[in-house]
């Protein structure tokens, strides 16, 4: 694992402008640089890079991040690969964690095995491609499906012969255990071996870097199963991968949306007919890992299913997986084709433009969810509405913290004739056991702050029970402090005791506490480094991403520390006035109360007399 401290040192040395500038033609636009976004198709530049904040943001598609995240998104590099690439450029050596000789040997062995697996899969892929050129029935089948030679080549389609030991011609050492581990060969209980894929059109499955990590095979003759995938291997996990994502990465940007279909052939056939933006899950239901990959690929996702009962059930499963990951900047739609059509046949009959129009008119996730719930219950009677609420509560409770989620709850309350307060009460009752458990398991921990991080906070990721309320209650003063900290993280490094006391004891500054802790822990120098370090699922990440966009559009403050001190002064004034009001409401019953009131009055005079910046 690469230490956070090294990541921050790296981000302090690299320049996001240099990194982005290798791939995007940038020109000066005020204090920032602008260019055409590399993540979606546009004619007018909406992609902005800030040299001072070391952050990029596209106002068209919402893509944003640091130099590391840009390299990952644009080149498909993994996080360690992106870090190592940038480190090499600036002359840094990525520190390896301390390991025993045995651990180092085991790691080296795993790396070598992964490399050997990759070599085996590459050799098999080359063999399958050669076999397709020699097998006329397979070529005829692909021609009947309307696939052109360029599309076949682009997707690397091949043919696995029917011979049970055809791969022996490629791997003379057929007893090599890595052939079984890589999923190319099956070993029976009696020890006999045979090729996994036989008599099938072969579809190579690639990762984000374009490396072959597994295969899907389709029979062209009668038999079952029609589709067969590689098993789970050190390189391949079907719950994490999407077929066609690498091949169609540019098409997704050009079309402006990604279409999720059910089969390999649909992906390839749509690309052949001009819709090179489809991906397919690998014989499994849509998972949260798939959703994350789709969101990285595009901010518009269209799930395409058959219009029959099985298709709608599959769509509902996909919807329930999407709910915890909903974002206000990502649109998800559900397209149901006529029962007699799959995506390939629909485009063949009506054309690519008709499919695009269908995708535009597809039901948004919220509409599909509410309509589907409405069809399952008789909403004209109280019992039906109550049953609908009972089914919907777990779904509503799983929603991410977003404006879209709030809108869905609002529309559902209207649907079942509840007020929003009544629905919120039902949700609180539904979630109460979870709240109690999280309150016990996530105690508040405090750390010292002179030289260290000294802010009381809840383990960087607040309990889910509180996050919904908290994320919607950022006060103007809290946002002012957050904006100042995001733009100038160094403000957190030398806070005095009085300032920390104010922040820790304010009930509205919980996110400010978390940001101070993050800045202290990571020693981040700019907002690009903060967004790289923050937990991406936390409320703080959501706030930081929004602030980064705002900061790109505003000029630098002449004296950020004076602004910071002024905001803290106003927070103190508000706190003193509130405490005085409480003392008066209590009637100042004793000498201690009266003395406290006088002390507060003197502090208030001093604070209000202080000159504003």
């Amino acid at each position: 694992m690469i230490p956070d401290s090294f990541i921050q040192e790296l981000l302090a040395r690299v320049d996001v402008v240099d990194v982005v500038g290798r791939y995007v033609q940038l020109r000066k636009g005020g204090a920032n640089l602008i260019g055409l976004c590399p993540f979606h198709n546009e004619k007018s530049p909406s992609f902005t890079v800030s040299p001072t904040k070391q952050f990029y943001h596209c106002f068209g598609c919402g893509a944003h991040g640091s130099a590391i995240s840009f390299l990952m998104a644009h080149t498909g590099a993994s996080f360690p690969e992106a870090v190592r690439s940038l480190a090499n450029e600036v002359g840094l050596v990525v520190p390896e964690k301390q390991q025993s000789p045995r651990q180092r040997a085991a790691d080296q062995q795993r790396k070598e095995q992964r490399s050997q697996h990759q070599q085996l899969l590459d050799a098999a892929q080359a063999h399958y491609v050669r076999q397709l050129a020699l097998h006329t029935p397979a070529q005829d089948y692909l021609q009947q499906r309307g696939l052109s030679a360029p599309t076949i080549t682009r997707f690397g389609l091949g043919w696995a012969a029917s011979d049970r030991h055809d791969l022996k011609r490629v791997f003379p050492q057929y007893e090599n255990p890595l052939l079984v581990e890589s999923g190319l060969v099956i070993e029976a209980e009696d020890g006999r071996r045979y090729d996994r894929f036989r008599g099938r059109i072969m579809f190579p499955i690639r990762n984000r870097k374009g490396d072959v990590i597994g295969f899907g095979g389709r029979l062209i003759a009668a038999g079952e199963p029609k589709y067969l995938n590689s098993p789970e291997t050190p390189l391949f996990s079907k719950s994490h991968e999407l077929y066609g994502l690498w091949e169609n990465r540019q098409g997704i940007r050009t079309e402006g949306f990604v279409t999720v279909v059910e089969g390999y052939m649909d992906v390839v056939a749509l690309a052949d007919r001009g819709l090179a933006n489809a991906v397919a899950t690998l014989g499994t239901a849509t998972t949260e890992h798939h959703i994350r990959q789709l969101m990285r690929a595009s901010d518009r996702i269209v799930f395409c299913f058959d219009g029959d009962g099985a298709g709608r059930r599959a769509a509902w499963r996909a919807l329930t997986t999407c709910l915890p990951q909903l974002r206000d900047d990502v649109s998800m739609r559900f397209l149901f084709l006529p029962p007699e059509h799959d995506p390939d046949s629909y485009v063949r009959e009506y054309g690519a433009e008709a499919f695009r129009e269908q995708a535009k008119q597809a039901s948004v996730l919220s509409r599909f969810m509410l309509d589907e719930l409405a069809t399952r219950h008789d909403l004209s009677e109280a019992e039906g509405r109550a049953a609908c609420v009972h089914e919907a509560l777990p779904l509503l409770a799983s929603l991410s913290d977003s404006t879209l989620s709030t809108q869905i709850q609002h529309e559902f309350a209207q649907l079942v004739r509840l007020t929003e307060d009544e629905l919120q009460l039902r949700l609180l009752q539904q979630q109460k056991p979870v709240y109690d458990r999280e309150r016990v398991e996530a105690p508040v921990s405090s750390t010292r702050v002179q030289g260290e991080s000294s802010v009381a906070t809840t383990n960087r990721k607040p309990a889910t029970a509180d996050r919904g309320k908290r994320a919607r209650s950022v006060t103007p003063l809290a946002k002012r402090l957050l904006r100042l900290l995001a733009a100038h993280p160094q403000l957190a490094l030398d806070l005095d005791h009085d300032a920390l006391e104010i922040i820790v004891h304010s009930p509205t500054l919980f996110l400010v506490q978390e940001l101070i802790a993050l800045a202290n822990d990571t020693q981040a120098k700019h907002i690009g480094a903060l967004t790289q370090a923050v937990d991406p699922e936390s409320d703080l990440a959501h706030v930081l991403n929004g602030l980064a966009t705002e900061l790109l559009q505003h000029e630098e403050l002449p004296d950020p520390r004076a602004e910071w001190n002024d905001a803290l002064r106003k927070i103190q004034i508000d706190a003193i006035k509130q405490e005085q009001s409480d003392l008066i409401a209590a009637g100042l019953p004793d000498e201690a109360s009266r003395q406290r009131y006088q002390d507060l009055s003197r502090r208030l005079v001093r604070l209000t007399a202080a000159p504003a910046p």
Side-chain angles (χ1 to χ4, degrees):
M1 189 172 181
I2 302 172
D4 287 341
S5 57
F6 179 80
I7 300 300
Q8 295 303 320
E9 182 184 358
L10 175 64
L11 288 173
R13 293 204 190 186
V14 300
D15 188 346
V16 69
V17 174
D18 292 339
V19 176
V20 174
R22 293 177 216 147
Y23 307 95
V24 180
Q25 187 173 352
L26 299 171
R27 61 180 174 81
K28 195 74 173 171
N32 302 317
L33 293 102
I34 59 175
L36 294 175
C37 179
F39 301 115
H40 80 286
N41 192 34
E42 63 177 8
K43 296 180 180 178
S44 299
S46 60
F47 187 80
T48 302
V49 184
S50 169
T52 57
K53 299 173 180 67
Q54 288 296 298
F55 192 82
Y56 69 88
H57 180 84
C58 176
F59 291 92
C61 70
H64 60 265
S66 66
I68 295 174
S69 56
F70 179 86
L71 211 55
M72 292 171 65
H74 192 68
T75 67
S78 66
F79 178 76
E81 289 168 341
V83 169
R84 288 190 172 89
S85 173
L86 293 173
N88 287 337
E89 293 175 16
V90 294
L92 292 177
V93 177
V94 179
E96 300 292 341
K97 64 181 181 181
Q98 294 297 317
Q99 293 179 309
S100 67
R102 178 179 294 180
Q103 289 173 322
R104 286 197 296 272
D107 277 356
Q108 184 60 32
Q109 184 179 13
R110 280 193 294 271
K111 288 178 184 177
E112 290 174 358
Q113 284 186 345
R114 288 178 67 88
S115 176
Q116 290 167 359
H117 285 155
Q118 190 68 67
Q119 292 171 26
L120 294 175
L121 293 171
D122 289 343
Q125 164 64 5
H127 174 70
Y128 294 143
V129 169
R130 288 193 299 269
Q131 291 301 105
L132 178 62
L134 302 174
H135 194 74
T136 303
Q139 296 173 36
D140 292 343
Y141 171 81
L142 295 175
Q143 189 173 10
Q144 289 166 12
R145 296 299 300 259
L147 299 185
S148 65
T151 297
I152 292 170
T153 300
R154 186 162 78 86
F155 282 87
L157 303 191
W159 171 253
S162 299
D163 184 351
R164 288 172 62 87
H165 302 103
D166 184 59
L167 287 179
K168 270 189 175 180
R169 294 193 290 161
V170 185
F171 308 112
Q173 295 181 329
Y174 198 67
E175 300 303 314
N176 184 349
L178 291 180
L179 289 172
V180 175
E181 290 180 24
S182 62
L184 294 170
V185 169
I186 294 174
E187 186 171 77
E189 291 183 3
D190 60 6
R192 289 183 299 171
R193 291 187 168 201
Y194 54 92
D195 294 359
R196 178 178 298 274
F197 299 102
R198 304 183 308 279
R200 294 176 181 270
I201 298 289
M202 297 299 289
F203 299 80
I205 302 166
R206 302 179 186 274
N207 61 16
R208 288 191 300 165
K209 295 189 296 180
D211 295 329
V212 176
I213 56 174
F215 292 97
R218 190 195 192 284
L219 289 173
I220 62 173
E224 292 292 337
K226 182 166 70 172
Y227 283 99
L228 179 67
N229 291 320
S230 290
E232 300 286 308
T233 72
L235 297 183
F236 175 68
S237 174
K238 64 182 179 181
S239 66
H240 287 66
E241 304 299 336
L242 290 164
Y243 177 73
L245 189 58
W246 186 79
E247 290 87 348
N248 282 344
R249 63 197 185 282
Q250 185 56 51
I252 291 169
R253 294 170 187 163
T254 301
E255 292 289 341
F257 68 99
V258 56
T259 304
V260 186
V261 296
E262 296 186 82
Y264 307 115
M265 191 57 76
D266 287 329
V267 172
V268 180
L270 287 174
D272 195 73
R273 289 163 180 78
L275 283 165
N277 67 325
V279 300
T281 56
L282 305 170
T284 183
T286 306
T287 68
E288 61 182 28
H289 302 291
H290 293 145
I291 301 298
R292 290 195 194 105
Q293 289 216 56
L294 291 167
M295 286 180 165
R296 283 196 291 266
S298 178
D299 61 349
R300 293 174 58 209
I301 303 167
V302 179
F303 293 93
C304 182
F305 294 95
D306 295 340
D308 57 11
R312 297 193 78 86
R313 286 192 295 274
W316 186 255
R317 289 193 296 272
L319 176 140
T320 59
T321 304
C322 292
L323 294 181
Q325 303 186 67
L326 292 185
R327 284 177 16 201
D328 294 334
D329 59 339
V330 176
S331 166
M332 298 184 186
R333 293 178 177 267
F334 289 80
L335 170 62
F336 297 98
L337 296 175
E340 67 273 16
H341 282 297
D342 57 25
D344 176 24
S345 65
Y346 185 91
V347 173
R348 270 191 287 173
E349 182 165 343
Y350 298 106
E353 200 52 49
F355 188 90
R356 290 188 184 96
E357 192 58 35
Q358 287 291 319
K360 288 180 185 176
Q361 297 175 9
S363 297
V364 293
L365 178 144
S366 60
R367 188 75 272 137
F368 170 51
M369 175 182 173
L370 296 174
D371 288 349
E372 188 69 18
L373 286 169
T375 61
R376 299 182 183 190
H377 306 278
D378 185 353
L379 300 186
S380 66
E381 58 184 31
E383 288 81 356
R385 293 192 295 275
C388 186
V389 172
H390 179 77
E391 181 181 359
L393 282 178
L395 301 174
L396 297 174
S398 72
L399 286 168
S400 66
D401 179 36
S402 62
T403 304
L404 175 57
S405 300
T406 305
Q407 293 289 328
I408 291 173
Q409 291 181 13
H410 175 70
E411 290 191 26
F412 179 76
Q414 292 180 321
L415 183 69
V416 294
R417 303 185 196 175
L418 291 177
T419 67
E420 290 189 58
D421 287 343
E422 288 169 337
L423 179 59
Q424 287 301 319
L425 178 61
R426 300 297 185 277
L427 281 169
L428 286 171
Q429 291 169 339
Q430 167 87 9
Q431 298 172 351
K432 192 173 188 303
V434 179
Y435 291 179
D436 292 341
R437 182 168 67 250
E438 286 178 338
R439 194 176 294 121
V440 171
E441 292 177 356
V444 173
S445 61
S446 62
T447 49
R448 246 194 350 255
V449 183
Q450 291 286 83
E452 304 176 12
S453 169
S454 79
V455 176
T457 183
T458 57
N459 298 339
R460 191 85 49 84
K461 189 173 181 178
T464 305
D466 296 329
R467 282 165 66 186
K469 273 186 222 169
R470 289 181 165 185
R472 287 190 284 271
S473 60
V474 179
T475 64
L477 272 175
K479 189 168 184 181
R480 184 178 171 190
L481 290 176
L482 287 167
R483 188 184 293 110
L484 284 163
L485 276 174
H488 308 280
Q490 65 273 18
L491 289 171
L493 304 181
D494 53 0
L495 287 173
D496 60 30
H497 177 76
D498 290 340
L500 285 166
E501 194 76 14
I502 296 166
I503 292 167
V504 168
H505 286 94
S506 173
T508 63
L509 300 182
F510 48 88
L511 285 175
V512 177
Q513 295 175 33
E514 290 187 17
L515 185 51
I516 290 171
L518 180 68
N520 274 281
D521 289 346
T522 62
Q523 302 291 300
K525 300 294 191 295
H526 45 68
I527 192 169
L530 288 171
T531 57
Q532 188 68 54
V534 71
D535 177 352
E537 303 299 324
S538 67
D539 290 332
L540 184 58
H542 179 74
V543 171
L544 277 177
N545 287 331
L547 288 173
T549 307
E550 289 182 28
L551 292 171
L552 286 174
Q553 303 174 74
H554 290 86
E555 297 293 328
E556 290 286 331
L557 291 170
D559 191 349
R561 184 164 297 283
E563 290 284 339
W564 173 263
N565 291 336
D566 183 59
L568 288 178
R569 183 176 66 88
K570 288 179 179 175
I571 290 168
Q572 271 189 288
I573 291 171
D574 290 346
I576 289 171
K577 288 180 177 179
Q578 181 61 53
E579 188 176 349
Q580 285 183 321
S581 297
D582 294 342
L583 288 169
I584 292 171
L588 298 172
D590 50 40
E591 182 60 31
S593 298
R594 291 188 287 275
Q595 183 61 46
R596 176 62 177 166
Y597 187 88
Q598 291 174 4
D599 291 343
L600 290 171
S601 296
R602 284 191 286 270
R603 284 179 59 193
L604 188 59
V605 169
R606 288 197 300 271
L607 286 168
T608 53

